[in-house]
Every structure is written in C-alpha cells, then in structure tokens.
Amino acid sequence: MMITTKGKKMYIGGKWVDKDETIDVRDPQDNSLITTVPSASKEDMLNTIKMGEEGVAIAAKMPVHERISVLNKSANYVEKYADLFANTIASEGSKTIKEARGEVTRCIETLRISAEEARRINGETIPFDQMPGSENRVGYYYQFPIGLIAAITPFNDPLNLVAHKIGPAIASGNAIIVKPATMTPLSALLLAEAFDYAGLPNKVLSVITGKGSEIGDVLVTHPAVRLVSFTGGLDTGEAIAKKAGLKKISMELGSNSPVIVLRDAQIEEAVNSTVSGAFWAVGQNCLGVQRIFIHDDVYEPFTNKFVQRTEQYKTGNKKDERTDMGPLISEREAIRVEEWVNEALEEGAELLTGGYRDGAFYAPTVLTNVSPNAKIAKEEIFGPVVILFKVTTLDEAIEYANHVNYGLQAGIFTQNIQQAFSTIGQLEVGGILVNDSSDYRIDGMPFGGVKGSGIGREGVKFSIQNMVEPKMVQFKL
Ligand code: NAD
C-alpha cells in the first residue's frame, strides 16, 4: 500500500474531511508552505463531539484483544513508514531529522506499551466483612472507561505526545478527539492514518485541525467530554482548567528545569548531558535544562567545558544529518527569546556565548550573573538559552531550584549518596534524575509535574489511571 500524507484533510469520526477554510502549515526554517489543513469551525467541533459521543459505546465494546491488535498494528505502521513520519516532524516542526527519528522510535514504543497495558486494567475483590453486619456480602470493583476524552497537544513533540493520549485512550476503551497544535498538525494526522489502517472502528478517534483559540472552548466546556487531557503552556492550561467545569482534567505544562552540579560530580559527563538537555529541540522542551547550579569549587572547569561544548553545536538545515539544532518554531518565538536575553543583559547578565538571531534561528546561548529573581530565571524561556549559577552549598542550590512556580523534573550530579537522597527529598518536582540532566524520559515511567508544571501524570499506565473509573459491585448473599 502506498502511504499518502492526507495533510489537507482532517480525520473526523473515521472519515477524511475537507474544508474551504484552511490554515497554512509552514516550515519554520524558511517559512515555505508545506500544505494546508482545514480550519475547523465551532460547528465542525460540535459535529465531531457528536461522533465522539457515538464512539464512546463503540470503544467500550471493543474487546481487549481487539484494542491490543489495533495498537500493535498502528505501531507497525509507524515503524514501516518511519522515514515519512520523521520527515513530517522535521518539516513542520523545529526538530532536526536526527531528533525527529528519535521521536518516531518513542512513538512506536508508546503504542506498543499501550497495547501491553490494555491487558493489565484490573480491579480487586472487596472484603465487605470489615464492617460488622456486612459478613454476608461479597463483591469487587472493576475499571470502566471514562467516556469521551478531549486531547489538546503542543507543537514541540507533534507525534509522540499525541500517541501519549491516543494510545492509553484506546487501551482503556475510550473515544478520543485530538486537537493538535495549530502549527504542527501533520504528524497527528499521519498518526490518525496509522489507526485508520489498523482498523480502529469509526467514531472512536477524531483528529480535528483548527485554531485552539477558536474551537478550543467548545471542546473543553462540552458536558459530553469527561476528561480534558492537555499538554501545553501554563497560561493556556490555566485558562482551560477555569472553563472546563465538572470533568476530569490532566495538565502537562511547562517548566524551567534545574540541574545541580556538586563538587564531586563527574564534570565531563555532567557537561555533555546538560548541554544536550539544554539545546534538544532548540530548548523547546518541557523538561529541557534551563538553570544549572554549580558548586564554586567546580564552577570554572564546568563552565569552560560547557561553553566549549556549546560552541561545537551545529545549527542549520534541519534535514542535514550533521545538524544538531534547527530553528525555533517561528520567527516570532525567536524574537521573543532574543528580547528575554536582551532584557537579562540590560539587567547585568553576562553572555558567555551565543545571544544572536537570524530569522527563526537563535544561537545556543549561555548566560551567567543572572539574578535568581530575573524573569529569565523564573519563567520558562522555551528556547536555546541556559543560565549558569555559582553556589557554595547544596542548600543554596535547592533553595534557588525551588524558587519558581514550576516543578517538572530536575537533575543532580554527585557521587555522594547522602546528598543525592537529601536532594530527592527536598526538590519540589515530579521526577529527579541522579547523575543525569532533567531531560530524560522513557514512555513507561510516570511523567508530570507539581506547582505550575501541572496536575496528574502521563506515561501510559499512569495516563490510563486517569482515563478509567472504578465501578463497585456488591452481592448480598
Ligand atoms: P500552547 O499552550 O500555546 O498550546 C497548546 C495547545 O493548546 C495547542 O494545540 C493550542 O492550539 C491549544 N490552545 C490554545 N488556546 C486554546 C484554548 N483557548 N482552548 C483550547 N486549546 C487551546 O503551547 P505550545 O506553545 O504549543 O507548547 C509549548 C508549551 O507546552 C510549553 O510550555 C511546554 O513546556 C509545554 N509542554 C509540556 C509538556 C509536558 O508533558 N509537561 C510536554 C511538551 C510541552
């Protein structure tokens, strides 16, 4: 079978649907037009929700072996056409072809884990005789699907973060409507093609394209939607949470992740890992390294090596195998990053390398002498900018690391097990990596944050926990 990128149509209840009103999908590298996708209206969204409501019963009736089969077939499809998927990510988004291939591999893994987890959605028997008078009762609970899920996804991982919503939803017998990021809808539509090929019954999945600000409200406020599973920025997440009403919400939001480097750290390893963590996907990465707290004793060797390694980074054409870093998602975003850096420099920050822009490209940038209270240290920069702080104690590093409204993941480099455990206990984050940067994730681990970084956890098994409800059954004998 020949694969075609049905990028010009959206996938509504199992049908590929066109519209006269369209949105341009452009390559951020040179602003060239890749294709257009339909610009859905509020009415289109209402129609999609109606299909989704019908899909709820269809999905719930799919036996587990069928869910497993569909998920494995869709994974095989992504694997077979991995090059096309990678090229789509590297065209519509910021990622280099190398980074895009990594995302495709992760997407296959996410779908296969979803297939495995489908068979492990269990209940328990309940010891009713714990209550005097209930000796003659037996019963159990099992997990039933929550119903219709609204999934809203960001631009920076346009394929795997969509798989992280669809895979668990299908594994747990739910219907799902995906609203992918306006700038990167093509990878999500290709994934819909994989499920279409895999024989997913109609109406269980829709991927609707359009502007979040125009069609988002209809989706998140609709009473038929039982869970809003959102991945994106804090401001959008907060606005959605306020509007959603009486339904479950799962919020995977941003961060400005800290890494602590203590005096006994293996410097070479710490540098390599944090440079990669800072500049992966042009720093447009929710768990990317933004703030590094380095002990005074090793500050100089760490900083010298860090700058040296950063300056070796090759920025340029995303499709070139040798390129380490591509453009930001838009020139507008690159200008915003430039403005934040310039503001920090005006406030007295020192530029160690980078700090310049060319269209949508922004050089990998290292700053120091930044106040922990500066905007660039407290907010999420979401660009290729990292700040190095000199600290004299672990307590000082922990205090600064926690001194923000985010808490997704953090890293610490040390050989001292006491200090590692002390840090694990004190950092306000959803995950800690010892002797690694914050930028580490596998698709089967719990992933999510505290404070402004979100509510709930993803990572297939953990997403499923949010997508089911226990139903209690009791027999009086
Ligand atoms: P964004 O918040 O601008 O957009 C996310 C999605 O929300 C898009 O699909 C957008 O169209 C939609 N949207 C916008 N307004 C809406 C509305 N009013 N109603 C409903 N939907 C609406 O985020 P972005 O710029 O695409 O992504 C970057 C952000 O995502 C960063 O903050 C990053 O840290 C975060 N992120 C978090 C995780 C995580 O797992 N924690 C992963 C990746 C990205």
Side-chain angles (χ1 to χ4, degrees):
M1 173 195 168
M2 265 298 286
I3 192 169
T4 50
T5 308
K6 293 172 180 161
K8 289 188 180 135
K9 295 183 178 173
M10 52 187 178
Y11 186 70
I12 305 296
K15 302 265 179 303
W16 293 96
V17 176
D18 229 339
K19 276 201 72 137
D20 290 340
E21 300 76 28
T22 57
I23 297 173
D24 290 350
V25 184
R26 292 183 180 275
D27 184 332
Q29 187 159 288
D30 52 11
N31 210 30
S32 60
L33 184 68
I34 303 170
T35 186
T36 61
V37 292
S39 179
S41 62
K42 289 184 176 148
E43 209 179 328
D44 295 323
M45 183 57 96
L46 282 170
N47 182 37
T48 306
I49 293 171
K50 196 163 163 287
M51 298 247 191
E53 286 184 81
E54 290 165 27
V56 166
I58 299 167
K61 281 201 191 102
M62 276 176 79
V64 170
H65 66 80
E66 209 176 303
R67 299 181 205 167
I68 292 172
S69 162
V70 164
L71 285 160
N72 279 329
K73 276 188 189 152
S74 64
N76 294 345
Y77 188 89
V78 179
E79 192 167 45
K80 185 167 175 191
Y81 297 107
D83 271 350
L84 176 67
F85 277 83
N87 273 292
T88 303
I89 294 171
S91 296
E92 65 176 348
S94 281
K95 283 187 175 169
T96 63
I97 189 71
K98 274 191 298 195
E99 292 172 331
R101 285 208 192 94
E103 185 175 344
V104 175
T105 305
R106 295 255 320 261
C107 170
I108 298 164
E109 174 85 348
T110 301
L111 298 174
R112 294 209 168 121
I113 298 173
S114 300
E116 285 173 31
E117 289 298 337
R119 67 178 97 235
R120 290 197 273 268
I121 304 172
N122 300 321
E124 286 181 321
T125 54
I126 302 167
F128 284 98
D129 58 358
Q130 64 192 277
M131 183 73 184
S134 283
E135 291 82 0
N136 62 340
R137 288 166 198 266
V138 294
Y140 59 93
Y141 72 84
Y142 68 96
Q143 307 283 1
F144 71 95
I146 191 167
L148 183 57
I149 296 169
I152 300 175
T153 53
F155 73 81
N156 60 320
D157 289 308
L159 180 68
N160 191 36
L161 290 181
V162 178
H164 263 285
K165 315 263 185 217
I166 303 179
I170 289 172
S172 53
N174 288 292
I176 178 164
I177 297 169
V178 179
K179 210 301 287 166
T182 317
M183 282 180 286
T184 56
L186 302 180
S187 307
L189 290 169
L190 260 187
L191 190 57
E193 203 166 301
F195 281 101
D196 198 19
Y197 160 82
L200 182 70
N202 288 350
K203 301 184 179 170
V204 172
L205 168 69
S206 290
V207 177
I208 182 166
T209 54
K211 298 202 174 93
S213 52
E214 285 171 20
I215 56 173
D217 275 10
V218 178
L219 183 62
V220 302
T221 58
H222 201 287
V225 171
R226 301 312 303 142
L227 163 68
V228 177
S229 175
F230 174 79
T231 304
L234 172 60
D235 292 346
T236 321
E238 245 173 2
I240 289 174
K242 278 185 189 139
K243 285 178 207 158
L246 197 60
K247 50 176 68 88
K248 273 193 183 178
I249 53 169
S250 148
M251 290 281 156
E252 297 286 330
L253 309 177
S255 195
N256 48 15
S257 300
V259 171
I260 298 172
V261 180
L262 295 184
R263 59 151 76 93
D264 60 352
Q266 295 196 342
I267 298 299
E268 191 78 28
E269 200 180 311
V271 166
N272 288 339
S273 164
T274 48
V275 167
S276 160
F279 303 124
W280 180 265
V282 204
Q284 298 162 125
N285 181 4
C286 57
L287 39 72
V289 177
Q290 185 172 326
R291 301 172 296 141
I292 309 181
F293 300 98
I294 307 141
H295 192 277
D296 203 2
D297 290 356
V298 290
Y299 181 82
E300 214 177 296
F302 179 92
T303 303
N304 290 342
K305 281 203 168 90
F306 193 95
V307 171
Q308 201 181 35
R309 180 85 193 82
T310 301
E311 287 175 346
Q312 287 164 356
Y313 247 60
K314 286 196 182 63
T315 303
N317 184 351
K318 289 180 287 177
K319 296 283 179 70
D320 187 329
E321 296 287 345
R322 291 160 302 180
T323 301
D324 296 311
M325 211 180 87
L328 281 106
I329 192 63
S330 63
E331 184 165 2
R332 212 175 78 181
E333 271 300 285
I335 291 170
R336 179 190 59 77
V337 169
E338 182 180 42
E339 284 170 0
W340 284 36
V341 171
N342 288 344
E343 190 182 310
L345 294 175
E346 275 159 29
E347 288 170 3
E350 188 187 335
L351 182 68
L352 296 181
T353 186
Y356 54 92
R357 182 178 68 81
D358 178 9
F361 288 87
Y362 195 77
T365 296
V366 184
L367 296 175
T368 189
N369 279 343
V370 173
S371 155
N373 291 316
K375 176 166 103 186
I376 205 159
K378 297 208 80 172
E379 304 301 326
E380 180 184 41
I381 179 95
F382 221 56
V385 180
V386 61
I387 312 166
L388 309 186
F389 296 91
K390 192 190 287 184
V391 291
T392 47
T393 64
L394 175 59
D395 285 347
E396 190 187 356
I398 291 172
E399 192 191 324
Y400 287 150
N402 284 341
H403 182 62
V404 292
N405 182 32
Y406 288 111
L408 192 53
Q409 291 204 149
I412 175 164
F413 286 87
T414 181
Q415 301 302 309
N416 183 323
I417 198 163
Q418 301 297 347
Q419 294 201 310
F421 270 102
S422 162
T423 310
I424 291 165
Q426 293 180 72
L427 282 183
E428 297 162 358
V429 288
I432 295 180
L433 293 305
V434 180
N435 290 326
D436 211 339
S437 91
S438 56
D439 181 25
Y440 174 85
R441 180 180 183 188
I442 59 167
D443 299 288
M445 72 181 213
F447 181 71
V450 300
K451 303 197 279 193
S453 291
I455 302 171
R457 296 290 180 269
E458 286 199 338
V460 180
K461 174 178 163 186
F462 306 91
S463 307
I464 288 174
Q465 287 170 2
N466 221 19
M467 294 178 170
V468 292
E469 300 273 26
K471 185 173 273 186
M472 193 282 300
V473 181
Q474 179 258 264
F475 291 80
K476 189 173 174 198
L477 304 175

